Amino acid sequence: MNRKELIEKLQNIEKDVKEIKEYLSQNEAGSDKHVYFPLAAELDFKLDYTLDDLYREFGSKVSLARRLKTALQKRNINTLEEFLSLSPGELLELENVGYDTLLRTKKALSKLGVAW
């Protein structure tokens, strides 16, 4: 990897970290308020995708998908709808889930066309 590629990679990482900070600051700013999750309010709402679809979208990052799957199973989260009721901050609180998993999850959901 040459110097230019390293700089580009660093810039991408910095951009991702900025996005995470924005998500977390939004979560902290509203932590004393009731958070409205439209999917949780609409009991009949069903997505065309499952958690398995989400894990598949992790692509070559299979280890991150496994970490997410294990963490969600420990919390007894079995559907994509249940997963989407979590905030990014709550996701980071799960065991063995870090920023890389959060970023990959956000990208995977984006590939599926699911806003989170």
Side-chain angles (χ1 to χ4, degrees):
M1 190 174 280
N2 64 35
R3 180 177 170 83
K4 183 180 177 184
E5 291 171 332
L6 286 171
I7 290 172
E8 287 176 13
K9 189 170 187 171
L10 179 61
Q11 289 171 336
N12 287 334
I13 291 170
E14 289 172 342
K15 180 182 151 216
D16 290 342
V17 168
K18 181 180 175 187
E19 287 180 27
I20 291 171
K21 284 182 180 180
E22 288 173 9
Y23 275 118
L24 293 176
S25 66
Q26 289 171 1
N27 188 38
E28 289 173 5
S31 63
D32 58 338
K33 299 177 184 175
H34 174 71
V35 179
Y36 175 69
F37 294 109
L39 295 179
E42 298 177 28
L43 298 177
D44 293 334
F45 181 82
K46 294 289 180 208
L47 286 172
D48 291 335
Y49 298 109
T50 66
L51 283 174
D52 288 330
D53 295 318
L54 174 65
Y55 304 140
R56 264 192 298 281
E57 290 300 326
F58 274 59
S60 64
K61 302 291 184 176
V62 176
S63 63
L64 295 179
R66 266 192 247 122
R67 286 183 189 186
L68 178 62
K69 184 175 185 175
T70 301
L72 294 177
Q73 287 173 338
K74 286 182 180 180
R75 283 278 305 266
N76 201 27
I77 295 172
N78 301 307
T79 67
L80 188 56
E81 290 88 351
E82 291 171 342
F83 169 78
L84 292 172
S85 71
L86 296 175
S87 70
E90 290 172 321
L91 182 63
L92 286 173
E93 291 173 0
L94 298 178
E95 186 179 341
N96 290 324
V97 174
Y99 293 118
D100 289 340
T101 305
L102 175 63
L103 289 174
R104 184 54 67 164
T105 300
K106 184 178 174 274
K107 289 178 183 179
L109 287 169
S110 179
K111 288 179 186 177
L112 294 173
V114 176
W116 179 50

